[in-house]
Amino acid sequence: MSSWLDAVADDRTQEMALDVMVRATHGRTAALHRLYVIACGWARSARHPSRAAVAALFWRHIDQAQYARPESKERAGAEPRITEEER
């Protein structure tokens, strides 16, 4: 997984690559959590701004996948969800 993130960090199509990685989980919460943990470790391992930017983008994709469930959209009057970045 870290090698995928290394490759994505220097690729201008990183949005698409990150989306593919998240979609590969098929919405499995445990798999999404694992991706998040891996991205955290990867971003911290080098403490480089480009890694932090890629990780933040990846986390947004993960958050969108977690909160894009049909039942979430249909909940009338529900409070908006708070993503990890907003905490």
Side-chain angles (χ1 to χ4, degrees):
M1 177 68 190
S2 293
S3 62
W4 279 58
L5 290 171
D6 286 335
V8 167
D10 295 324
D11 193 332
R12 62 180 178 201
T13 62
Q14 60 186 224
E15 243 339 298
M16 186 184 329
L18 296 172
D19 188 52
V20 167
M21 286 188 266
V22 169
R23 286 178 184 239
T25 67
H26 298 288
R28 293 184 318 267
T29 303
L32 288 169
H33 289 182
R34 181 73 181 131
L35 288 180
Y36 181 84
V37 169
I38 290 168
C40 287
W42 176 81
R44 288 186 190 128
S45 68
R47 297 191 188 272
H48 192 276
S50 67
R51 280 192 175 205
V54 169
L57 184 58
F58 197 29
W59 296 329
R60 280 195 296 276
H61 280 272
I62 292 168
D63 284 342
Q64 289 170 355
Q66 284 182 298
Y67 302 124
R69 296 183 190 135
E71 68 271 11
S72 297
K73 293 178 182 176
E74 295 172 2
R75 291 175 35 195
E79 301 260 338
R81 303 250 181 169
I82 298 173
T83 63
E84 290 298 321
E85 290 79 35
E86 293 172 323
R87 289 186 186 160

